[in-house]
Amino acid sequence: MTISLDASEWVRRFHPAPSATARLVCFPHAGGSASYFHPVSAALAPAVEVLAVQYPGRQDRHTEAPVDDLFVLADRLADVLVTETAGPVAFFGHSMGASLAFEVARRLEAKGTRLLSLFVSGRRAPSAPNDDRVHEKSDDALLAEVKRLGGTDAAILDDEDIRSLVMPALRSDYKAAELYHYRPGPDVSCPIVALIGDSDPKVTEAEARLWAERTSAGFELKTYSGGHFYLNDHAAAVIGLIAERLGG
């Protein structure tokens, strides 16, 4: 499968800010898209320019085949982002996006780019055991899991036309996230900030704390009230934390 390396296909700048003091690259959750981070971009601009990643198989890339291997995604994004991350830059990833952000950060460090910070949200550390296999279940079971986590309006997923559009990317993302496993090697030398909801069924505090083992720099754990998409209720607090860390 040929995957484009054109940055304009992978990166969305909702509020271009060429004079920004730093950039934040955001990686969406399974089934998510770049537009999820539009409010983050609006809140941080113009001090911090947000680059939201758009995976193949959704929204304006819906005609492209989704990628069901997180390592392949990381390889491609590292090649794309190496020219987009000159100067001060940080990564933010939620759920699957956190694992992907970590893997891209590893690859960029090997190319000479060191992040200001890596924010990993709603995701167990790479070394934590993961036996989830939701991607192998029926469409109904997969959609039930998505509804349980609360990241998507249930009414949207009940629309048959929308379901047919989102299912290929959703199943592909779940496969990429669930089959991902830690490969030993150089980790990252930037601080890692892990963020979780205190009632998230997908990650425990102990699993989140294992992220500390993946950096040679500092580690912080921030806990908020809520489940897997605690972000929706604590957007202002999380954005404020990012701005503080990036000087925005």
Side-chain angles (χ1 to χ4, degrees), residues 64-233:
E64 300 176 53
V67 180
D68 62 6
D69 185 317
L70 191 138
F71 293 110
V72 172
L73 267 178
D75 288 342
R76 297 300 176 270
L77 277 166
D79 289 338
V80 168
L81 293 173
V82 71
T83 59
E84 299 290 317
T85 51
V89 62
F91 284 179
F92 181 99
H94 181 65
S95 197
M96 178 190 84
S99 298
L100 182 57
F102 169 68
E103 289 296 336
V104 175
R106 295 175 90 183
R107 286 155 175 76
L108 287 183
E109 282 212 2
K111 298 174 183 288
T113 298
R114 181 178 181 274
L115 305 184
L116 293 172
S117 191
L118 172 61
F119 299 91
V120 290
S121 169
R123 184 66 169 167
R124 60 173 68 91
S127 57
N130 178 14
D131 58 1
D132 294 342
R133 289 296 183 272
V134 179
H135 73 276
E136 297 175 352
K137 297 182 179 181
S138 68
D139 286 358
D140 287 342
L142 177 53
L143 289 170
E145 171 71 0
V146 174
K147 292 177 182 179
R148 179 176 77 96
L149 296 178
T152 305
D153 186 345
I156 293 177
L157 295 177
D158 288 336
D159 184 296
E160 290 187 11
D161 291 334
I162 294 177
R163 283 177 58 159
S164 65
L165 287 174
V166 303
M167 280 307 302
L170 187 61
R171 186 174 298 281
S172 175
D173 286 356
Y174 264 77
K175 181 179 179 181
E178 293 178 345
L179 296 187
Y180 168 69
H181 59 280
Y182 178 67
R183 291 179 179 175
D187 290 317
V188 296
S189 58
C190 66
I192 291 180
V193 181
L195 307 93
I196 61 171
D198 60 6
S199 58
D200 188 344
K202 303 296 287 185
V203 55
T204 65
E205 179 179 323
E207 291 172 329
R209 286 194 179 279
L210 290 174
W211 278 105
E213 300 176 358
R214 303 278 68 86
T215 177
S216 58
F219 172 76
E220 296 177 75
L221 175 63
K222 300 290 185 180
T223 303
Y224 301 85
S225 61
H228 193 58
F229 283 93
Y230 73 91
L231 285 170
N232 296 340
D233 294 325

Side-chain angles (χ1 to χ4, degrees), residues 11-35:
V11 175
R12 302 291 174 269
R13 284 180 171 85
F14 299 117
H15 304 89
S19 61
T21 57
R23 286 176 172 170
L24 178 71
V25 182
C26 295
F27 298 77
H29 54 279
S33 58
S35 61

